[in-house]
Amino acid sequence: MRRTSFANWPCSVARTMDLLGDWWTPLVLREAFYGIRRFGDFQRELGIARNTLSERLRRLVEAGLMEKHVYETQPLRHEYLLTESGRDFHNVILAMTSWGDRWLAGEAGTPVVTRHASCGHDAHADVVCSHCRQPMEWADVTPRPGPGYPAQLLNRPDVRRRFHLDGAQDPAASERPADTEA
């Protein structure tokens, strides 16, 4: 069965999900962040089938998130190292962890805490504006087409509604807090 590809959609969420493809891929990356590098160690830590792990590692190497390096020649064995792109995915894992800790942690509390070495405190990820450093919350952001959005799609009514290009009211505006400035 062939799955639908989102690789060429004009949406970074869709493209990222196309790369991830399933629940095993982020877990393989999580283990890599924990320091796992070798096939057998990934398999043992995750309890994942060999063929599934082989496919996930192949996909991560092809996508440029990991590199495959020989660590033994007789027999030939490889380890998988995070690339710059792969290390940058850590922020995605931290954001997922932060959400899961808030909404899915049981009464005992969060299962894993993240220690920030720079300040020595346990911390969680916050998404902040790269310009003003204020938290970016759903009620305070508006999506709009960027320079990579296909120009031919901008005339479609559904796209114009999504980005409020006709001055249409944001359907979620009624759920957002009103502006309190005078």
Side-chain angles (χ1 to χ4, degrees), residues 6 31 89 127:
F6 301 114
E31 293 304 312
F89 196 83
V127 177

Side-chain angles (χ1 to χ4, degrees), residues 131-158:
H131 179 73
C132 70
R133 310 308 293 168
Q134 293 298 311
M136 291 184 66
E137 297 185 15
W138 172 74
D140 299 326
V141 298
T142 304
R144 54 190 200 105
Y149 201 87
Q152 70 272 18
L153 296 180
L154 292 175
N155 290 325
R156 286 181 27 184
D158 60 322

Side-chain angles (χ1 to χ4, degrees), residues 51-69:
N51 62 330
T52 303
L53 178 57
S54 293
E55 171 60 23
R56 297 323 176 268
L57 289 169
R58 183 196 58 76
R59 189 179 336 157
L60 288 166
V61 168
E62 283 180 4
L65 277 81
M66 299 185 98
E67 293 176 336
K68 189 175 176 179
H69 293 274

